Amino acid sequence: MEGGQEGGQEGWMDGRRAGRRAGRMDGRQEGRKAGRKRALRRCGREAAGMASVVLSEAEKLYIVHGVQEDLRVDGRGCEDYRCAEVETDVVSNTSGSARVKLGETDILVGIKAEMGTPKLEKPDEGYLEFFVDCSSNSPELEGRGGEELGTDIANTLYRVFSCENSVDLKSLCINPKEHCWVLYVDVLLLECGGNIFDAISIAVKAALFNTRIPKVRVLEDEEGTKEIELSDDPYDCIRLSVDEVPCIVTLSKIGYRHVVDATLQEEACSLASLLISVTSKGAITSMRKVGKGSLDPESIFEMMETGQRVGKSLHIALQKILDEEENLGTSRPKTEIPS
Amino acid sequence: MPLDHRRLRGPEESQPPTLWAAAAAEDEEDEEGAGAAARDPCALRPLFARAGLLSQAQGSAYVELGSGTKVLCAAWGPREAAEPGPGRLICEFRRAPFAGRGARGRPGAAAEREAEREAAAALREALEPAVRLGRYPRARLAVSALLLQDGGSALAAAVSAAALALADAGVEMYDLAVGCALCRPPAPAASWMLQPAEPEERRAAARLTLALLPALNQVSAVLGGGRGGPPEDWAQALRLGLDGCHRQYPVLRQSLLRAAQRRRSTPPS
């Protein structure tokens, strides 16, 4: 059973160039439908903070019973991910970017490296800043609702990357105590189709892999004026090592079992989920329970084991795709805007 | 133009002197750390809990941990809300400006507000499974926690205090939520420690905060991060934390009983 699952998962990650027409039109229509039933579903939206779907009791029962038998609505097993597409280097104005489509969920991450002053407590390290924008998802998430969800995701990302050795921050230092690189990671939630944390962490890892930071030297004259010297070769740059960057795995508890990569419908049936961030070596760097239900301690232990297993295979598949994208190099066809 | 001698303009941004005294202070702290390593990792610090102390709030609680953490919490029972649907629990977490050991945190600073909002969201996640919100349709229950002094495990103490305050206000609950914090020092094969003090928490490689409903044995919140290692280590930390929560539960129940007796014996004014 183990071997079959591993084999199945290796084939699912695709680096195909997706059609540029994203599913934004469908997202808007869903938002309008949900808006009409706003009065009934407000409780669900308050609790989850995300765009929610309307499900009848019979549909919920169908999903719960199916999960008990290890059969989900789209035919997956409890530990299978949906078909995912990962592209890097999609926005040329950034230092690194990535776009991930996990089923219906669509995430775009852009990283800009800028020079700044290091923090007082860590004078010889650079740092990362996360910003998440959810307003393009549905009319419900414009304004305050989207901002709350955005800060929630940003705080989770800060906690996931709070482990010291996830990103080599010392390589981001230019002059200790004076100059360092600050990586501004901007996440755009284009469409929410369930399981946004996983997709965002995959996109952030892909964007960090793709980031190219120019090599800079800051020279100081006798008078004290600082001069910034950029190397002439545009391909001479610092690349970040993403071996220790963790990926988030969300395990949602439905009935007596837990599922990985829940769709919006499955999230509506689940009262509690556990977010675990796993590195490629199987170490867990952060844990958080979300949802308004409670969890049994035994199920938490089971979820951690599943999360570690699933996380490791996720990292293997993602690294394979990233290496393939890297080898495409400049021969990759870039879309041209017709003049 | 004559110089203005009457106004002394100080620097626009102030910093604590301890930042520059880091070299001397670190030697002291290393000695403290070596002394604290002899502490039993499973030992719970003494806990003081008192419910029903504020007269203006419907329910209130004060929790103090042996390491110096002091949390004061007030709760207000159901108030009518305009939106239809089941009841909502609104949590707020504030830090007093003098609460931290280091620099005085400016109360309106963005970073402070972010940290407070994150703690409030964590508090809400911990309390929601315990409160019977279905019994209060169209109502709003408000809980406000104020951290007076941060001696480590602040969020865990706030969870216990908030649950006590809600119970004191007469809100129907399934069980009291008891919070417990753990941390793991940066030494390579170190074991997890219950209820760390503030210096241990600052230097920790990994931190974990738990909230448990002891009578039902259900975990209502897990929040952790850092270099923890394989899932077996985290599972061991969870078990230690759950045990700590079970041990704190009788103290909190006693404080509720005493508050009810006090209320009954003093005539209403």
Side-chain angles (χ1 to χ4, degrees), chain A residues 237-311:
Chain A
C237 44
I238 311 174
R239 300 291 299 274
L240 292 170
S241 149
V242 293
D243 292 330
E244 297 281 333
V245 169
C247 266
I248 300 179
V249 177
T250 308
L251 298 125
S252 311
K253 177 129 193 254
I254 300 181
Y256 294 114
R257 297 191 63 157
H258 47 269
V259 299
V260 169
D261 192 18
T263 57
L264 275 180
Q265 288 84 2
E266 286 164 349
E267 275 178 0
C269 302
S270 136
L271 279 179
S273 322
L274 194 66
L275 258 93
I276 300 181
S277 67
V278 190
T279 61
S280 53
K281 302 198 175 66
I284 293 184
T285 61
S286 88
M287 241 179 18
R288 184 182 153 200
K289 174 221 141 216
V290 288
K292 48 181 188 160
S294 57
L295 286 172
D296 202 66
E298 287 305 320
S299 30
I300 296 186
F301 300 142
E302 278 173 21
M303 283 183 181
M304 284 201 291
E305 297 287 321
T306 310
Q308 184 200 30
R309 213 174 342 132
V310 170

Side-chain angles (χ1 to χ4, degrees), chain B residues 99-120:
Chain B
R101 190 168 156 253
R104 171 188 182 268
R106 248 153 271 161
E112 286 279 322
R113 272 184 283 137
E114 271 304 312
E116 285 175 3
R117 239 178 289 167
E118 204 188 329

Side-chain angles (χ1 to χ4, degrees), chain A residues 57-101:
Chain A
E57 288 301 319
E59 283 174 305
K60 282 190 191 167
L61 211 58
Y62 179 70
I63 292 178
V64 171
H65 282 180
V67 167
Q68 305 292 106
E69 312 281 328
D70 198 19
L71 257 184
R72 292 157 78 172
V73 174
D74 44 8
R76 291 182 280 157
C78 286
E79 297 185 9
D80 294 337
Y81 269 87
R82 286 170 284 184
C83 202
E85 293 171 14
V86 178
E87 298 168 42
T88 54
D89 203 18
V90 283
V91 182
S92 46
N93 291 337
T94 56
S95 313
S97 58
R99 181 171 173 195
V100 169
K101 266 180 85 76

Side-chain angles (χ1 to χ4, degrees), chain B:
Chain B
M1 189 164 139
L3 287 171
D4 186 11
H5 292 281
R6 273 168 294 173
R7 271 179 271 237
L8 271 175
R9 249 175 272 155
E12 266 147 13
E13 280 210 12
S14 52
Q15 280 152 358
T18 45
L19 268 176
W20 282 274
E26 259 176 44
D27 296 331
E28 277 179 43
E29 274 181 24
D30 279 333
E31 289 174 27
E32 261 180 69
R39 178 183 96 110
D40 176 17
C42 306
L44 271 183
R45 305 212 184 242
L47 169 76
F48 173 79
R50 185 182 150 140
L53 61 154
L54 293 177
S55 57
Q56 295 297 317
Q58 281 182 309
S60 53
Y62 172 74
V63 167
E64 185 173 332
L65 293 176
S67 55
T69 307
K70 301 176 169 69
V71 183
L72 178 64
C73 195
W76 289 269
R79 285 186 195 158
E80 192 170 335
E83 312 92 26
R88 285 171 56 198
L89 183 65
I90 300 180
C91 293
E92 204 197 340
F93 183 88
R94 305 291 304 277
R95 288 177 73 102
F98 42 77
R101 190 168 156 253
R104 171 188 182 268
R106 248 153 271 161
E112 286 279 322
R113 272 184 283 137
E114 271 304 312
E116 285 175 3
R117 239 178 289 167
E118 204 188 329
L123 201 59
R124 182 167 163 219
E125 265 176 17
L127 291 173
E128 256 187 320
V131 179
R132 294 189 69 184
L133 287 172
R135 294 278 292 166
Y136 301 103
R138 279 189 77 122
R140 253 193 297 180
L141 303 163
V143 179
S144 166
L146 177 62
L147 181 67
L148 297 168
Q149 181 178 326
D150 186 5
S153 334
L155 188 59
V159 166
S160 310
L164 266 184
L166 275 173
D168 190 46
V171 171
E172 287 191 41
M173 298 171 73
Y174 289 113
D175 196 1
L176 274 182
V178 184
C180 190
L182 299 105
C183 86
R184 184 193 211 180
S191 61
W192 288 84
M193 271 198 304
L194 266 180
Q195 287 192 330
E198 206 258 336
E200 291 163 356
E201 212 174 63
R202 211 172 350 122
R203 275 175 292 153
R207 297 173 194 91
L208 182 66
T209 304
L210 281 183
L212 175 74
L213 307 176
L216 305 172
N217 199 25
Q218 292 276 309
V219 175
S220 68
V222 180
L223 192 61
R227 204 171 356 124
E232 294 82 32
D233 288 357
W234 288 93
Q236 183 207 1
L238 264 174
R239 284 198 192 92
L240 194 58
L242 295 178
D243 183 50
C245 290
H246 276 290
R247 279 191 279 161
Q248 289 180 9
Y249 189 47
V251 179
L252 298 174
R253 287 184 67 178
Q254 270 294 310
S255 71
L256 265 185
L257 278 171
R258 269 193 228 121
Q261 278 163 2
R262 241 179 285 130
R263 210 171 267 151
R264 197 191 51 178
S265 58
T266 52
S269 49

Side-chain angles (χ1 to χ4, degrees), chain A residues 196-228:
Chain A
I196 48 180
F197 284 101
D198 291 26
I200 289 177
S201 70
I202 295 174
V204 168
K205 179 169 179 179
L208 281 172
F209 181 80
N210 180 242
T211 306
R212 285 170 172 77
I213 307 174
K215 289 210 177 117
V216 149
R217 281 195 310 150
V218 182
L219 306 162
E220 199 165 318
D221 293 353
E222 298 88 37
E223 293 116 38
T225 48
K226 296 201 190 330
E227 210 178 276
I228 299 176

Side-chain angles (χ1 to χ4, degrees), chain A residues 161-199:
Chain A
F161 282 86
S162 67
C163 178
E164 299 98 43
N165 46 5
S166 10
V167 176
D168 187 13
L169 296 172
K170 293 212 173 4
S171 64
L172 295 177
C173 175
I174 306 170
N175 287 349
K177 284 198 191 155
E178 287 166 32
H179 301 106
C180 71
W181 284 111
V182 183
L183 292 180
Y184 290 100
V185 181
D186 298 300
V187 180
L188 279 174
L189 183 62
L190 299 173
E191 189 175 348
C192 174
N195 202 23
I196 48 180
F197 284 101
D198 291 26

